Amino acid sequence: QVRLVESGGGLVQAGGSLRLSCAPSVNMVNIGTMGWYRQTPGKQRELVATISSGDRSYYGDSVKGRFTISRDNAKSAVYLQMNNLKPEDTAVYYCNIVLNDGTYYRADYWGQGTQVTVSL
């Protein structure tokens, strides 16, 4: 049973920074797009950032210029550097890894979520 282990969440003041990490419990192959999503009570899960297997990055409008997504293929890991945090960034952050061989199979894996709280 594959699980994604997240770390790096916590409490930070507005304007501060956090770095989230996510890596699988076992080695993975055929990793495609990786991403980060966040969710607050009563809201749908929101796209924060994604990074493709070709290292193309996409960001939600609310985090552009402040967050940076990156990946380490050797570790099958994905990271989210969050700078200039704002109270509205407060949420549970979930990582996502897509396994895709390009033609035959596709599978999605999700992290357990890590709490990010930004105080004023």
Side-chain angles (χ1 to χ4, degrees):
Q1 182 75 24
V2 176
R3 61 187 181 93
L4 305 185
V5 181
E6 299 184 27
S7 63
L11 175 64
V12 66
Q13 280 192 305
S17 298
L18 287 172
R19 185 172 187 257
L20 306 184
S21 299
C22 174
S25 59
V26 298
N27 186 50
M28 285 184 165
V29 295
N30 298 129
I31 297 176
T33 299
M34 298 179 170
W36 290 93
Y37 297 74
R38 66 188 183 188
Q39 189 168 23
T40 56
K43 292 185 177 181
Q44 300 277 14
R45 193 165 294 185
E46 173 192 14
L47 171 67
V48 177
T50 63
I51 182 167
S52 72
S53 60
D55 283 343
R56 292 194 300 170
S57 300
Y58 300 88
Y59 298 91
D61 289 341
S62 64
V63 306
K64 286 181 179 177
R66 299 188 297 119
F67 291 10
T68 303
I69 188 170
S70 61
R71 61 191 287 164
D72 183 341
N73 292 327
K75 298 179 179 179
S76 300
V78 60
Y79 308 95
L80 185 68
Q81 179 66 44
M82 304 184 291
N83 297 328
N84 191 25
L85 283 161
K86 303 176 180 180
E88 50 263 44
D89 295 318
T90 296
V92 177
Y93 284 70
Y94 300 88
C95 67
N96 169 251
I97 296 179
V98 177
L99 302 186
N100 189 351
D101 71 354
T103 57
Y104 188 69
Y105 70 84
R106 183 183 186 277
D108 287 88
Y109 292 88
W110 292 90
Q112 82 284 356
T114 185
Q115 177 71 46
V116 171
T117 302
V118 184
S119 63
L120 201 61

